[in-house]
Amino acid sequence: MAAPVLRRCRVWLGAGHRSVGNVAELRGPESPVAASALCRSAKEMTEKHKRNVPWAAVVGLEIHAQICSNSKLFSGSQVQFAAAPNSLVSFFDASLPGTLPVLNRRCVEAAVMTGLALNCTINKKSLFDRKHYFYADLPAGYQITQQRLPIAVNGNLSYILRMGKNQNEMVTRSVRIKQIQLEQDSGKSLHDDLRSQTLVDLNRAEGQLRVDANVSVHRPGERLGVRTEVKNINSARFLAKAIDYEIQRQIEELENGGTILNETRAFDFKRGRTIAMRDKEGKQDYRFMPEPNLPPLILRDSKSSPAHTSDQQVVNIDWLRERLPDLPSAKRAKLVECYGIQPQHSFTLLNEDGLVEFFEAVVNATGMAPKKVVGWIIKDILGYLKQYNLEVKESPVSPLLLAELLNLLENGTISSSAAKQVLEVMWKGEGKTPSLIVKEEKLELLQDQNELECICQTVMGAHQKEVADIKKGNKKALNKLIGQVQRTTRGRSDPVLVKQILEKLLS
């Protein structure tokens, strides 16, 4: 199975500011005691100053991502998630003598597209290497990778952080990508503690994502600190927790006078902390050497492709560039431009699989403005989905049903509070249309102004304190009366019309 590796993508986190303190020049102490006292005082000032200087963290990520392909990187064995152990193993996978690797074209194209998406320079010539180490799940004793000249280098990924009290402030950040390389995946060791034995599954790539995080901390303006490596993290959530914990652990260790060891650590997700595995002081010698059974990987572009060659004979970088799908940043920009929604709303729509398509289907089927539609999608539909732990595709309310409900609201048939009641009934999945629910529950908007005036007078009579507060100039008390009218009518009254009636009766 192919595993493109993003090597050492260095991310600068929490960039600290360099602090420059005042330097006091000490002259001519009159005695050794005075000199010693001054030295102690200066040392204490220095230590105190250091404690007040913020820390900066440096994080490098090595990301192992599985390519979506039908067969493995160097063999024709099928790729199937959760297949029976060792049921998808070719002679090459088992490292039988005389077997040779055959490079998977689909994996090469996927690696190129990944490099293009991350703004990398695509090397038209890249090389394969052997990385030697000995472990039970690596029967050949070496792994085929791209150490010297990988397929893509020197990329960058810009992203936007939502900050501020209401998460409505957008700040752009950028991370550097050192390289992307194609790498053979090792097997998987299965540890049986009951029988005190370890079994090996050579199907390979049963995990779709693994990340090794290299973390260090230092004072701004000083040398980089000693780094630790947190291995084999398998989710973005655990990755964030592991990095946060490791940064704080190192800061506390150094501030308490300790030292950071150059070691490999693991993340214990149950306890939310990293634990030491082994030290890295004795650097492992992988004895990299050129892979003799694979020639250099040559890529072409439109200018360098030989004449009279078909697309199947070469991997064309320009051809792949044209087939890149819209990246998230481009999709967000289109949503904001086409529908006039807020940038933060575009993030929410894209972060949930299928929510953009749901939103667009509703917009196309309703007369309500997209700005209003997105509010119903994010606050109400997404709220229900999270409450019941459902995916968008599992929603009992389809886009067409939601569009019908919003049309009833938009044309004045029901109020917004009544619409929320209807949505609550729809979410039960009984198959009733919004129009039927409105009819059965008698939720149509009250149109008789005389009836509304009678209801308003009744509410005012029952809430004399609020009436008195309004007459004294407390306009906020009016909202309470409006709410009481809404409750009395079960959401069937138009808040704007109710406000007008109340103001008239109070004048």
Side-chain angles (χ1 to χ4, degrees):
M1 167 54 59
V5 180
L6 280 66
R7 289 283 186 188
R8 302 173 189 168
C9 315
R10 180 162 288 180
V11 185
W12 292 87
L13 300 177
H17 299 283
R18 183 172 182 176
S19 301
V20 180
N22 294 323
V23 178
E25 185 176 0
L26 305 178
R27 293 174 182 259
E30 297 180 359
S31 70
V33 175
S36 177
L38 285 172
C39 287
R40 284 199 305 271
S41 176
K43 184 177 180 181
E44 289 170 1
M45 289 173 61
T46 302
E47 292 300 324
K48 184 177 180 180
H49 172 68
K50 279 190 173 183
R51 285 195 295 271
N52 294 330
V53 173
W55 291 90
V58 179
V59 178
L61 302 180
E62 187 176 318
I63 303 171
H64 300 255
Q66 176 185 334
I67 288 177
C68 183
S69 61
N70 294 325
S71 58
K72 299 179 184 179
L73 179 58
F74 294 120
S75 80
S77 296
Q78 184 184 358
V79 173
Q80 181 181 336
F81 182 74
N86 295 311
S87 61
L88 304 174
V89 180
S90 69
F91 290 156
F92 175 79
D93 299 331
S95 302
L96 295 186
T99 56
L100 297 174
V102 178
L103 184 58
N104 186 327
R105 177 193 177 94
R106 158 64 189 156
C107 294
V108 174
E109 293 177 342
V112 171
M113 294 181 77
T114 302
L116 293 173
L118 294 174
N119 303 301
C120 292
T121 298
I122 306 300
N123 287 325
K124 293 182 181 178
K125 177 182 178 181
S126 61
L127 304 174
F128 289 95
D129 306 283
R130 287 186 179 182
K131 175 183 178 180
H132 293 83
Y133 65 94
F134 300 98
Y135 203 69
D137 58 17
L138 193 69
Y142 63 85
Q143 181 182 36
I144 302 177
T145 184
Q146 291 189 302
Q147 175 70 14
R148 296 170 296 157
L149 190 58
I151 196 167
V153 295
N154 300 332
N156 67 83
L157 174 64
S158 295
Y159 59 96
I160 296 177
L161 292 176
R162 293 172 59 177
M163 304 178 70
K165 185 176 180 181
N166 299 317
Q167 296 287 294
N168 55 5
E169 181 183 348
M170 302 294 182
V171 179
T172 302
R173 294 283 188 268
S174 182
V175 57
R176 290 172 288 167
I177 311 295
K178 182 182 179 184
Q179 67 189 62
I180 296 175
Q181 61 196 61
L182 285 164
E183 185 173 278
Q184 179 185 22
D185 206 357
S186 62
K188 182 178 182 181
S189 296
L190 306 170
H191 304 290
D192 187 345
D193 294 333
L194 291 177
R195 296 181 176 86
S196 299
Q197 62 182 1
T198 297
L199 305 176
V200 175
D201 179 12
L202 293 180
N203 282 350
R204 308 186 187 215
E206 289 187 8
Q208 295 182 331
L209 175 73
R210 296 190 307 280
V211 182
D212 303 332
N214 291 271
V215 181
S216 69
V217 298
H218 66 283
R219 302 280 190 185
E222 296 182 359
R223 292 179 58 186
L224 298 183
V226 176
R227 65 182 174 90
T228 60
E229 183 179 25
V230 186
K231 297 283 287 186
N232 292 328
I233 307 170
N234 60 8
S235 79
R237 184 163 59 95
F238 289 158
L239 173 64
K241 288 185 175 181
I243 292 173
D244 286 343
Y245 175 85
E246 187 59 20
I247 290 173
Q248 192 59 38
R249 184 192 72 82
Q250 292 187 22
I251 290 174
E252 291 177 0
E253 182 73 24
L254 292 171
E255 288 186 340
N256 290 328
T259 58
I260 302 301
L261 300 177
N262 182 212
E263 61 184 354
T264 299
R265 302 179 70 88
F267 180 65
D268 185 339
F269 69 92
K270 292 181 180 178
R271 293 190 291 172
R273 58 180 299 177
T274 64
I275 54 177
M277 293 174 62
R278 58 184 180 273
D279 69 75
K280 303 179 70 171
E281 293 301 332
K283 188 175 180 181
Q284 186 169 0
D285 182 9
Y286 289 116
R287 295 182 295 120
F288 286 101
M289 61 168 281
E291 168 55 58
N293 294 324
L294 285 170
L297 174 59
I298 305 298
L299 306 177
R300 306 287 186 179
D301 57 21
S302 299
K303 295 180 179 179
S304 62
S305 289
H308 310 297
T309 56
S310 69
D311 291 337
Q312 295 302 315
Q313 292 177 294
V314 297
V315 174
N316 190 311
I317 300 171
D318 293 331
W319 187 86
L320 294 171
R321 193 193 311 273
E322 293 170 0
R323 283 153 182 78
L324 272 179
D326 281 343
L327 299 178
S329 57
K331 287 182 179 180
R332 289 193 294 268
K334 282 185 178 181
L335 287 171
V336 172
E337 182 180 354
C338 293
Y339 300 109
I341 64 176
Q342 295 296 319
Q344 58 266 33
H345 291 159
S346 69
F347 275 86
T348 305
L349 291 176
L350 271 175
N351 285 345
E352 298 292 332
D353 189 27
L355 198 59
V356 170
E357 293 76 11
F358 191 103
F359 164 72
E360 291 181 328
V362 175
V363 169
N364 292 334
T366 182
M368 181 177 281
K371 286 185 178 181
K372 293 183 180 179
V373 173
V374 78
W376 280 86
I377 297 288
I378 292 175
K379 293 179 182 177
D380 298 278
I381 295 297
L382 191 56
Y384 275 118
L385 290 172
K386 291 187 179 298
Q387 180 181 344
Y388 293 98
N389 196 26
L390 297 174
E391 297 182 9
V392 175
K393 62 183 179 183
E394 298 173 314
S395 171
V397 178
S398 68
L400 290 180
L401 284 176
L402 181 61
E404 181 183 338
L405 174 63
L406 297 184
N407 283 334
L408 293 174
L409 175 60
E410 191 70 6
N411 62 30
T413 303
I414 58 176
S415 67
S416 58
S417 58
K420 291 184 183 296
Q421 295 178 52
V422 174
L423 181 60
E424 185 177 357
V425 177
M426 291 167 62
W427 200 263
K428 296 177 181 177
E430 297 175 355
K432 296 180 180 179
T433 64
S435 298
L436 179 60
I437 296 171
V438 169
K439 184 177 180 181
E440 289 180 348
E441 301 292 330
K442 297 180 181 180
L443 293 173
E444 299 94 342
L445 206 61
L446 287 173
Q447 303 293 341
D448 190 335
Q449 189 162 339
N450 291 328
E451 183 180 357
L452 274 177
E453 283 189 9
C454 290
I455 294 172
C456 288
Q457 287 175 339
T458 302
V459 169
M460 289 170 60
H463 296 83
Q464 289 296 315
K465 181 180 181 303
E466 284 75 15
V467 172
D469 289 343
I470 294 170
K471 290 182 177 180
K472 291 178 183 178
N474 184 1
K475 295 183 179 181
K476 290 183 179 180
L478 181 62
N479 293 329
K480 190 170 183 179
L481 289 182
I482 295 173
Q484 290 296 333
V485 174
Q486 287 288 84
R487 277 188 282 276
T488 303
T489 61
R490 294 179 55 237
R492 298 176 60 205
S493 55
D494 181 357
V496 176
L497 181 57
V498 170
K499 182 181 180 183
Q500 293 173 354
I501 293 173
L502 288 172
E503 288 174 340
K504 174 184 173 184
L505 294 174
L506 289 165
S507 60

